[in-house]
Amino acid sequence: MSEPALQAEKRDAEDELAPLRSRFVLDEVVYLDGNSLGALPANVPDRVADVVRREWGALRIRSWDESGWWTAPERIGDRIAPLVGAAPGQIVVGDSTSVNVFKALVAAVRMAGEDRTELLVDATTFPTDGYIAESAARLTGRTLRAVTPAEVPEALNDRTAAVLLNHVDYRTGRLHDLPSLTAAIHARGALAVWDLCHSAGALPVGLDEHGVDLAVGCTYKYLNGGPGSPAYLYVRRDLQPRFDSPLPGWNSHAEPFGMSPSYAPAPGALRGRVGTPDILSMLALEAALEVWDEVGIDAVRAKSLALTDFFLHCVSAYTEPGRVESVTPERHEERGSQVALRCADAGEVMKELIARGVVGDFRHPDVLRFGFTPLYVGFADVERAARILGEVLA
């Protein structure tokens, strides 16, 4: 047995999170794409079947009250809150990440005031965030400037209304410094809007601790909510009375069943709701989040770093020098829960890896991306993935 394989065996035996693997539907494939779509939690199918057959099939419309459908967006938001360092009452679940980015950005501009005429957006952002930022700027009559996160402190000025940043770069896995960047944004009187899609459920975020104004995130990656599961919106408690949503739907009305022709916003995080909640996927998400009742985010972060460190070690052991280049930072404080490797024929390499039972993904033009979900990925998975990568590259 090779040195990395012996290490993997020892580490798996010592892993306090290893029992959680049984809480997911897995097979012999090494699944390292949970940063795109998390694995299926084993309790979700029965929960969804009950929702369909009993709550919808038997109770029908009574379930809005008797089964708690109506309060699901804020109830599930409170389950997500500890994973991103937020107290209850500040997160509402619903809509997509893109829609929530739009709500957050336009609301931030409205709170910033008319003299704040510029929006800053992460130049390395996932494309949809950039598209939404451009539209929000156009609709609010602001200018938009794209800068890298490192350039934000120097780019800020007295005209900056808000800054939209990604906590983790989706290509490279680089973790940006949320505390210091938020502090810099606040020092210039602007609002900080953070996209947590690639960090929530993988590492501590600290929204309340660091005074983040607004945040959004998806739930189908490290939170394992399922394909297209609803996203969430965080609005810091003291900002909620000023949160002016650009999408004032009936679900966020102070009296949603009053059917008033004029809009009056509900109090608190409920202002982030829009239309009728997507109950089937929302309750699947609620079931998926039950696994977090047994684990803390700090333990998940510790294992995440151990997994990514071990993967880089194994890649070095199994591949020829110079065949691949890691573009993920080595320093723990700059690394999310993924490793991105650059190689010239990355697209074909990933196809062959998948054919051999190692599932990651390819990012144009030359990046192999591997996501490590500590709830169900083990060290033997990591060793096997690196060993097969070495075989494919050879």
Side-chain angles (χ1 to χ4, degrees), residues 216-284:
V216 302
C218 67
T219 61
Y220 47 77
K221 301 182 190 294
Y222 297 110
L223 298 182
N224 308 299
S229 56
Y232 58 91
L233 170 68
Y234 164 89
V235 183
R236 200 178 70 222
R237 192 178 309 280
D238 63 299
L239 293 180
Q240 290 172 3
R242 299 170 52 207
F243 182 83
D244 184 5
S245 175
L247 298 172
W250 77 285
N251 259 236
S252 63
H253 197 284
E255 296 182 12
F257 294 97
M259 303 302 166
S260 170
S262 60
Y263 180 74
L270 272 67
R271 291 185 178 210
R273 293 176 65 153
V274 183
T276 305
D278 41 352
I279 290 299
L280 297 184
S281 58
M282 191 167 290
L283 297 186

Side-chain angles (χ1 to χ4, degrees), residues 171-174 325-329 339-342 367-368:
R171 293 185 186 88
T172 67
R174 175 178 290 277
E325 171 198 2
S326 175
V327 295
T328 300
V339 172
L341 302 176
R342 178 173 287 141
V367 170
L368 302 169

Side-chain angles (χ1 to χ4, degrees), residues 97-233:
T97 305
S98 300
V99 171
N100 283 318
V101 169
F102 178 74
K103 294 181 210 171
L105 270 185
V106 174
V109 168
R110 290 174 173 177
M111 286 188 279
E114 292 299 323
D115 57 333
R116 298 279 178 162
T117 58
E118 184 178 70
L119 280 174
L120 300 183
V121 64
D122 184 347
T124 62
T125 191
F126 189 75
T128 194
D129 285 19
Y131 306 155
I132 295 293
E134 192 279 331
S135 179
R138 187 156 36 92
L139 288 169
T140 59
R142 268 61 176 179
T143 58
L144 181 68
R145 187 155 50 112
V147 297
T148 66
E151 295 169 335
V152 165
E154 292 300 319
L156 291 162
N157 58 62
D158 292 340
R159 299 186 310 278
T160 307
V163 184
L164 173 62
L165 293 165
N166 283 262
H167 198 192
V168 173
D169 186 296
Y170 80 100
R171 293 185 186 88
T172 67
R174 175 178 290 277
L175 173 64
H176 298 302
D177 191 341
L178 181 148
S180 68
L181 287 170
T182 300
I185 292 165
H186 288 167
R188 296 309 296 263
L191 284 86
V193 182
W194 284 91
D195 183 330
L196 310 178
C197 284
H198 288 270
S199 58
L203 53 92
V205 177
L207 292 179
D208 286 355
E209 178 185 357
H210 303 301
V212 169
D213 302 296
L214 301 154
V216 302
C218 67
T219 61
Y220 47 77
K221 301 182 190 294
Y222 297 110
L223 298 182
N224 308 299
S229 56
Y232 58 91
L233 170 68

